[in-house]
């Protein structure tokens, strides 16, 4: 094995380890090496290598020959908890010589660290010796640093075959289902080690999506990760960190009326009516078009290994090309779901089972179907309903490859009329996205959180699932699909059909009227001005669309979109350009920017938070910002560069001290940048503490914005990501409304504006109660703006106040909703 040359990872002054004022390094406890007193501020890779581990202040690399190199920036810098550091890589990344690894603030470290001197150490010195070192006192980046000679063969150099294990608790909202399984398996494939996950005495290959999904790992379940191989420890650490900190779970879209429809099971059905479960909301009239799965003749005996392997590879390529085409043409949900299907095509366990069957003499079609169905059946017997529903993804893949093997085009959009209401035992995700325009669909199988239901909701296609008796409907039958109520009306007579058309037409007129007046200012019937803003969470295009939908400004910019799904934090320039583009799209309208709310259910890889039993109650919101003040300072500096007026909102405020700390930071930045007009600084009221202390906080905050989503979960002590508690987590609860009332009263006492930007603001029924409690600004998703404005215009302030006071006397969310409907029947 040839020697390995390491180049200087950073500019600076070179010294022997003996000169390092720390016995751990000076006495070579961690290994031999060299030290650099840095004059540069970025650490670069000294050779081509794999990142074994990375902390904010240190990184360990493994070269191709097994040499392990630790680069430790400064001494006792671990005590800084990451402040002053930005990492550019993660465990498992491959890097080339000169790639940036860590950037640090030299001035900050000089004032905080024991010493800036940074050791570069070979940690497996039993396998390597340093035969040559730099003799220059000063080194430039990339100049020769030292040469290593292996002491043994490859096994010795790499430390031999190793084993590692680690136990973690899965905190993902829905456990390890399709998308997280795809992410984990892809990460596992970056390592040479054999990796397995174990739970409930079952142990499977972590590089296989279907194997991981078959475990049915649920939230809060303890999982053991095992690895065997030269990079075992790195693999275990990287996968554990990925699951704990690196996977962001976006909420899945499904029908809001699912619980209502499913809870109506005891209500007598009208004649010729079937009850299902709402998969996606909406109303539709159409003709029944029956779909049945293609029944392929599958020959078990193959025509030879080479022939069948060629057929399989060709069919997989056809299916892959189709999925790639469909995934790039759709929305985010479509891209994610079909992207998971693409990953399944490459699954090692499916591939192994299929190819093993071919090698035993089976045909490609028989082998593929046998492998897929074995896993699909395993999914169907799981306790977790979400995992059971993922069996449909495997059925989808089976059918796509079988179609390709048989030279069939499958379902074609031109074969399906636009007024079709599709009737099927099960409709598959790839079929739905490939069909073009349809009126709706109703299936005998499936569930409200299945991928096809999620896709339907995103596409605006009304859908019912789990509908008993639907397969008995005759082709061409006239149907009225009322997915909101969970009902399918069959073969309507002329009277009922006219009623259905009237119902749809009335809704369309109401929506059209609302859209027609959406651009007008919003006032109650007696003239009270209510400002209606949009919640935004993306760039300028979303802002422009919101204005076109009637938004009078942005009441909440969730800036997390700039911070998530990346390896390093956004720069000041990047943020400033994005905020300015949004401000330009808003055309001078009011613009409230919330500082980042990461941590909790929104972890990021470059902000390794301490392990927490309950992340929702830990370092998130403003706490994370104050903990990593360098990130918050950069964001505030970027906001100050916006040329039109903006307001700054702080998330998760619980005390005046937090507000004062950020205000002091903002004032210092204004002085540094020569900004004369300091932006207004307000707070999100989303903790019970901030609502109770509202009058006190209003003396220091410039405005309030009430976030009812978090306020509800903290008030009711219910996790809003817990599916079992979902029906009870209701912002109409009188306890939540009481805190809204306290916040509004506290703000009014100091003449502060009070807004609501949580989900409650977008409900016309709730808007009336909020106005009655003293709220004069509502911020919501753009899709809700027209409806809410139209509803508010029919309200009087006196009626709103009466409804609010009556609601506060109730003892349940259901009673509050009934009160609101009684006072404001037109809003329902």
């Amino acid at each position: 094995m040839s020697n390995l040359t390491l180049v200087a990872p950073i500019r600076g002054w070179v010294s022997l380890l003996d000169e390092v004022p720390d016995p751990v390094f000076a006495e070579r406890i961690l290994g031999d090496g060299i030290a650099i007193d840095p004059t540069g501020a970025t650490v670069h890779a000294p050779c081509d290598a794999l990142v074994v581990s990375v902390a904010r202040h240190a990184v360990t690399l493994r070269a191709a020959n097994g040499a392990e190199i630790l680069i430790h920036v400064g001494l006792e810098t671990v005590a800084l908890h990451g402040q002053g550091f930005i990492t550019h890589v993660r465990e498992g990344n491959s890097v080339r010589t000169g790639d940036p690894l860590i950037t640090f603030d030299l001035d900050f470290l000089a004032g905080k660290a024991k010493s800036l001197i940074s050791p570069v150490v070979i940690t497996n010195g039993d396998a390597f010796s340093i035969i040559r070192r730099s003799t220059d006192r000063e080194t430039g980046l990339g100049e020769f640093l030292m040469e290593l000679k292996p002491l043994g063969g490859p096994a010795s150099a790499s430390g031999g075959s190793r084993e590692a294990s680690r136990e973690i608790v899965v905190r993902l909202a829905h456990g390890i289902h399709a998308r997280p399984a795809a992410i984990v398996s892809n990460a596992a494939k970056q390592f040479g080690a054999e990796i397995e996950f174990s739970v409930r005495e079952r142990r499977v290959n972590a590089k296989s999506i279907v194997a991981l999904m078959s475990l049915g790992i649920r939230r809060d379940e303890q999982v053991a990760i095992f690895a065997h191989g030269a990079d075992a420890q790195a693999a275990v650490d990287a996968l554990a960190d990925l699951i704990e900190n690196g996977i962001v779970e976006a909420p899945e879209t499904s029908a809001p009326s699912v619980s209502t429809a499913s809870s109506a099971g005891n209500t007598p059905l009208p004649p010729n009516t079937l009850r299902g479960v709402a998969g996606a909301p909406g109303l539709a009239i159409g003709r029944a078009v029956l779909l049945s799965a293609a029944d392929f003749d599958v020959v078990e005996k193959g025509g030879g290994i080479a022939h069948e392997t060629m057929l399989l590879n060709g069919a997989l390529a056809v299916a892959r090309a189709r999925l790639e085409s469909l995934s790039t043409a759709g929305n985010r949900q479509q891209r994610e779901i079909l992207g998971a299907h693409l990953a399944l095509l490459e699954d090692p366990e499916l591939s192994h089972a299929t190819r093993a069957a071919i090698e035993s003499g089976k045909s490609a079609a028989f082998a593929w179907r046998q492998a897929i169905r074995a896993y699909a059946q395993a999914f169907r017997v799981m306790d977790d309903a979400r995992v059971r529903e993922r069996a449909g993804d495997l059925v989808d893949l089976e059918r796509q490859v079988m179609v390709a093997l048989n030279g069939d085009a499958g379902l074609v959009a031109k074969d399906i009329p636009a007024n079709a209401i599709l009737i099927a035992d099960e409709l598959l995700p790839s079929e739905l996205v490939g069909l073009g325009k349809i009126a709706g669909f109703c299936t005998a199988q499936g569930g409200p959180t299945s991928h096809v239901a999620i896709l339907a909701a995103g596409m605006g296609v009304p859908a019912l699932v789990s509908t008993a008796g639907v397969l008995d409907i005759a082709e061409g039958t006239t149907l009225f699909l009322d997915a909101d109520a969970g009902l399918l009306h069959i073969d309507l007579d002329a009277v009922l059909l006219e009623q259905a058309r009237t119902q749809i037409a009335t809704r369309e007129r109401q929506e059209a009227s609302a859209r027609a007046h959406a651009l007008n200012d919003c006032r109650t019937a007696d003239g009270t001005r209510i400002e209606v803003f949009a919640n935004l969470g993306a760039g300028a295009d979303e802002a422009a669309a919101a204005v076109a939908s009637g938004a009078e400004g942005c009441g909440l910019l969730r800036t997390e979109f700039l911070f998530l799904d990346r390896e390093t934090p956004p720069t000041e320039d990047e943020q400033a350009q994005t905020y300015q583009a949004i401000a330009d799209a808003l055309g001078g309208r009011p613009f409230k920017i919330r500082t980042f709310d990461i941590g909790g259910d929104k972890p990021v890889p470059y902000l390794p938070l301490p392990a927490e039993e309950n992340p929702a109650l830990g370092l998130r919101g403003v706490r994370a910002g104050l903990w990593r003040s360098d990130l918050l300072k950069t964001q505030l500096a970027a906001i100050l560069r916006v040329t039109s007026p903006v307001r700054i909102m702080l998330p998760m405020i619980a005390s005046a001290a937090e507000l004062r700390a950020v205000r002091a930071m903002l004032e210092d930045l204004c002085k540094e940048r020569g900004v004369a007009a300091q932006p207004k600084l307000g707070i999100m009221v989303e903790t019970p503490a901030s609502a109770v202390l509202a009058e006190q906080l209003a003396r220091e905050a410039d405005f309030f914005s009430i976030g009812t989503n978090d306020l509800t979960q903290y008030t009711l002590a219910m996790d809003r990501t817990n599916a079992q508690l979902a029906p009870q987590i209701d912002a109409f609860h009188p306890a939540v409304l009481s805190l809204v009332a306290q916040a509004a009263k506290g703000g009014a006492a100091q003449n502060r504006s009070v807004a609501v930007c949580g989900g409650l603001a977008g409900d016309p029924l709730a808007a009336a109660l909020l106005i009655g409690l003293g709220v004069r600004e509502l911020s919501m998703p753009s899709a809700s703006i027209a409806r809410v404005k139209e509803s508010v215009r029919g309200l009087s302030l006196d009626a709103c106040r009466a409804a609010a006071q009556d609601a506060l006397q109730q003892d349940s969310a259901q009673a509050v909703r009934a009160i609101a409907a009684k006072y404001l029947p037109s809003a329902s």
Side-chain angles (χ1 to χ4, degrees):
M1 183 180 296
S2 60
N3 294 348
L4 175 66
T5 296
L6 302 182
V7 299
I10 191 169
R11 292 196 323 271
W13 299 91
V14 179
S15 63
L16 299 175
L17 286 183
D18 307 74
E19 300 176 28
V20 177
D22 187 324
V24 171
F25 295 107
E27 297 176 12
R28 293 166 174 75
I29 293 173
L30 294 179
D32 197 6
I34 208 163
I36 301 175
D37 194 353
T39 56
T42 299
V43 177
H44 299 257
C47 63
D48 294 354
L50 182 76
V51 179
V52 175
S53 66
V54 61
R56 306 297 295 181
H57 64 288
V59 61
T60 300
L61 307 174
R62 180 181 298 116
N65 67 351
E68 295 186 352
I69 306 108
L70 166 67
I71 306 171
H72 195 287
V73 181
L75 301 180
E76 298 185 8
T77 44
V78 66
L80 298 178
H81 301 293
Q83 292 187 70
F85 293 92
I86 297 174
T87 54
H88 302 294
V89 293
R90 297 185 62 193
E91 287 91 342
N93 288 165
S94 294
V95 294
R96 303 299 297 265
T97 304
D99 285 352
L101 305 175
I102 300 173
T103 297
F104 53 92
D105 187 328
L106 261 176
D107 294 335
F108 177 80
L109 262 61
K112 298 286 187 180
K114 176 182 178 180
S115 171
L116 285 174
I117 196 163
S118 301
V120 181
V121 174
I122 310 307
T123 58
N124 54 345
D126 57 331
F128 294 87
S129 65
I130 302 173
I131 61 172
R132 190 161 61 98
R133 306 171 201 256
S134 172
T135 57
D136 295 332
R137 184 60 179 160
E138 184 178 6
T139 184
L141 177 66
E143 295 182 3
F144 172 79
L145 188 68
M146 54 183 154
E147 182 180 355
L148 310 182
K149 178 181 178 180
L151 297 178
S156 172
S158 64
S161 181
R162 303 178 184 177
E163 292 187 355
S165 64
R166 181 168 165 183
E167 291 190 345
I168 61 169
V169 175
V170 174
R171 301 297 188 191
L172 298 172
H174 305 301
I176 297 184
H177 57 94
R179 180 175 169 269
I183 293 170
V184 170
S185 70
N186 285 337
K189 291 172 187 174
Q190 306 306 310
F191 297 93
E194 296 177 5
I195 310 169
E196 294 179 311
F197 274 37
S198 178
V199 65
R200 299 186 300 278
E201 299 183 354
R202 284 194 62 212
R203 197 157 160 167
V204 302
N205 180 3
K207 298 181 182 180
S208 166
I209 302 173
V210 292
L212 284 173
M213 290 174 63
S214 73
L215 287 176
I217 297 171
R218 297 181 289 269
R219 179 176 179 167
D220 296 329
E221 193 157 26
Q222 185 167 292
V223 175
I225 307 174
F226 297 94
H228 177 84
D231 54 358
Q233 190 62 58
V236 165
D237 291 342
L239 294 185
D241 178 65
L242 176 65
I243 293 170
E244 292 175 335
N245 301 309
I247 299 176
V248 180
E249 281 282 75
E252 294 183 336
T253 305
S254 57
S257 56
V258 167
S259 59
T260 302
S262 60
S263 65
N266 295 324
T267 305
L269 285 172
N272 296 329
T273 301
L274 300 178
R275 175 176 285 122
V277 174
L283 308 174
I285 295 173
R287 296 279 183 178
V289 173
L290 276 56
L291 295 181
S292 58
D295 188 14
F296 298 108
D297 291 328
V298 175
V299 177
E300 182 174 353
K301 183 177 174 62
I305 296 174
H307 177 69
E308 297 300 332
T309 299
M310 180 188 69
L311 290 178
L312 176 66
N313 290 341
L316 290 174
V318 170
R320 186 181 301 109
R322 181 172 185 269
L323 284 170
E324 287 173 346
S325 175
L326 291 173
S327 65
T328 56
N331 57 24
R332 176 187 60 80
Q333 292 153 336
Q334 188 168 319
R335 290 193 299 272
E336 288 186 355
I337 290 169
L338 298 184
H341 285 199
L342 278 167
L344 281 169
L345 282 178
E346 312 293 339
D347 188 85
E349 292 294 307
L350 280 176
S351 176
H352 174 75
T354 303
R355 295 181 191 281
I358 288 175
E359 289 170 5
S360 70
K362 308 300 182 185
S363 71
F366 183 89
W368 176 253
R369 188 175 67 178
Q370 177 178 262
I372 282 276
R373 290 188 177 183
Y375 276 105
Q377 182 57 32
F379 285 10
R380 290 189 182 103
V381 298
M382 290 285 182
D383 291 335
D384 190 327
R386 188 174 294 270
V387 176
R388 289 199 301 272
E389 289 174 357
R390 296 302 172 258
D393 295 323
L394 292 176
V395 173
D396 195 344
L397 279 181
E398 177 195 333
R399 195 173 299 175
Q400 289 190 69
V401 175
M402 296 297 284
V403 163
L405 282 168
N406 284 271
D408 194 316
L411 288 175
V412 181
K414 64 181 178 62
D415 298 334
I416 309 295
N419 71 336
I421 294 179
L422 301 183
I423 303 299
D425 182 56
E426 189 167 21
L427 187 64
L428 303 178
S430 67
E431 292 174 338
L432 177 61
V433 298
L435 281 175
K437 182 175 176 56
I438 58 172
F441 69 84
C442 183
T443 62
Q445 306 296 325
T449 59
S450 65
H451 278 161
V452 76
I454 295 167
L455 287 171
M459 295 166 66
V461 177
L464 286 185
V465 295
S466 296
T467 310
V470 70
L471 299 180
D472 296 329
I473 295 174
E475 179 88 20
T477 302
T478 300
L479 304 174
F480 172 40
L481 175 60
D482 184 354
D484 294 347
L487 300 176
L488 181 68
H489 302 279
I490 304 165
D491 199 16
L492 293 76
D493 60 29
V495 174
L496 291 177
L497 185 59
E498 187 57 34
Q499 290 176 353
R501 287 176 177 150
T502 301
Q503 184 178 345
I504 293 174
T506 299
R507 172 176 288 193
E508 290 175 347
R509 280 197 304 273
Q510 290 172 342
E511 292 176 351
S513 174
R515 289 193 299 270
H517 298 94
L519 299 180
N520 299 337
D521 286 348
C522 184
R523 298 179 184 276
T524 62
D526 48 7
T528 302
R529 180 74 167 95
I530 306 296
E531 293 181 291
V532 179
F533 294 163
N535 295 340
L536 304 177
D541 289 345
E542 185 189 27
V547 170
S549 298
E552 300 170 31
C554 170
L556 167 66
L557 176 67
R558 298 183 174 99
T559 57
E560 292 77 45
F561 75 96
L562 286 167
F563 291 80
L564 299 174
D565 298 322
R566 55 190 298 158
E567 300 294 331
T568 59
T571 64
E572 179 183 324
D573 285 346
E574 180 184 354
Q575 292 187 65
Q577 290 168 7
T578 301
Y579 302 148
Q580 185 62 59
I582 294 172
D584 293 344
L586 291 172
R589 293 172 177 83
F591 185 15
K592 291 182 181 177
I593 301 177
R594 185 180 72 183
T595 58
F596 62 81
D597 182 10
I598 51 182
D601 62 343
K602 296 186 282 285
V604 291
Y606 53 83
L607 187 64
L609 298 170
E612 297 177 302
E613 284 298 317
N614 192 338
L617 299 179
L619 275 173
R620 61 165 295 196
V622 74
R623 301 169 196 151
L626 292 173
W627 179 60
R628 279 299 305 275
S629 56
D630 55 324
L631 295 181
L632 181 56
K633 183 177 179 180
T634 298
Q635 183 173 36
L636 294 175
I639 294 172
L640 289 178
R641 289 169 56 180
V642 178
T643 56
S644 53
V646 297
R647 292 187 168 199
I648 301 172
M649 281 197 302
L650 304 178
M652 299 300 296
I653 288 289
S655 71
E658 295 165 332
L659 174 59
R660 292 185 198 118
V662 179
R663 190 178 289 282
M665 190 184 301
L666 185 62
E667 289 172 350
D668 288 344
L669 278 169
C670 287
K671 291 176 184 177
E672 289 175 16
R673 303 295 177 97
V675 177
Q678 182 174 313
K680 297 288 187 183
L681 184 64
I683 68 168
M684 295 281 292
V685 177
E686 46 194 344
T687 66
S690 58
V692 171
L693 297 177
E695 187 168 353
Q696 181 186 114
L697 289 168
R699 299 188 190 110
E700 304 198 36
D702 295 323
F703 61 91
F704 286 171
S705 192
I706 302 170
T708 54
N709 298 346
D710 272 324
L711 183 62
T712 299
Q713 78 163 340
Y714 291 130
T715 301
L716 303 181
M718 294 180 184
D719 186 346
R720 58 183 172 138
T721 65
N722 187 314
Q724 289 182 312
L725 297 176
Q728 302 174 58
I729 303 172
D730 194 333
F732 279 85
H733 195 289
V736 178
L737 294 181
S738 293
L739 290 176
V740 172
Q742 278 187 264
K745 182 179 179 182
Q750 301 296 326
N751 198 29
R752 303 299 191 221
S753 65
V754 179
V756 170
C757 62
L760 203 60
D763 188 325
L765 201 63
L769 300 178
L770 296 175
I771 293 168
L773 293 173
V775 174
R776 295 295 179 268
E777 178 189 315
L778 303 170
S779 192
M780 63 200 68
S782 298
S784 301
I785 288 173
R787 290 176 57 239
V788 169
K789 279 189 171 184
E790 191 75 1
S791 176
V792 169
R793 293 185 183 111
L795 307 173
S796 71
L797 190 57
D798 286 344
C800 289
R801 285 172 173 161
Q805 291 308 309
D806 205 354
L808 292 175
Q809 306 307 312
Q810 305 307 310
D811 61 3
S812 69
Q814 291 80 5
V816 169
R817 289 177 180 273
I819 289 296
K822 182 181 71 172
Y823 277 88
L824 309 161
S826 62
S828 61

